[in-house]
Amino acid sequence: MSYAFYEILDNVLTHSGNNCGTAITYYDSEKSLIQILVADDGIGIKESLSENQKYKNISEKEALVTNLYITNPLHM
């Protein structure tokens, strides 16, 4: 769990073009549920992908689908 959280936070710094982001946590004791939100106001998925020559002319829609494909190697 700590590695996954580290990876998500590191992606903010690595890919957003910003040096900070926001993490918000919420714990629901009745449901024993933890919710974590990580966000940034960086360059966006499309812009980040288009830094790679392979994705230079990618559309916003294609970038979102491609990002899901890249970040989920099992494609589930």
Side-chain angles (χ1 to χ4, degrees):
M1 180 73 150
S2 64
Y3 177 77
F5 193 58
Y6 165 81
E7 186 66 22
I8 291 167
L9 293 175
D10 185 59
N11 282 345
V12 168
L13 300 175
T14 303
H15 301 291
S16 74
N18 252 342
N19 61 0
C20 66
T22 301
I24 299 170
T25 60
Y26 171 76
Y27 176 65
D28 184 329
S29 59
E30 291 180 11
K31 297 179 182 178
S32 295
L33 176 75
I34 298 172
Q35 293 180 321
I36 302 170
L37 170 103
V38 177
D40 64 72
D41 62 349
I43 62 175
I45 294 169
K46 177 188 178 299
E47 192 65 33
S48 180
L49 280 174
S50 67
E51 290 176 355
N52 180 325
Q53 192 61 36
K54 180 178 177 181
Y55 303 110
K56 191 72 176 161
N57 297 311
I58 198 167
S59 72
E60 190 73 35
K61 183 178 178 179
E62 291 169 326
L64 292 173
V65 171
T66 301
N67 185 61
L68 290 174
Y69 188 79
I70 290 170
T71 58
N72 183 358
L74 300 178
H75 312 297
M76 300 174 125

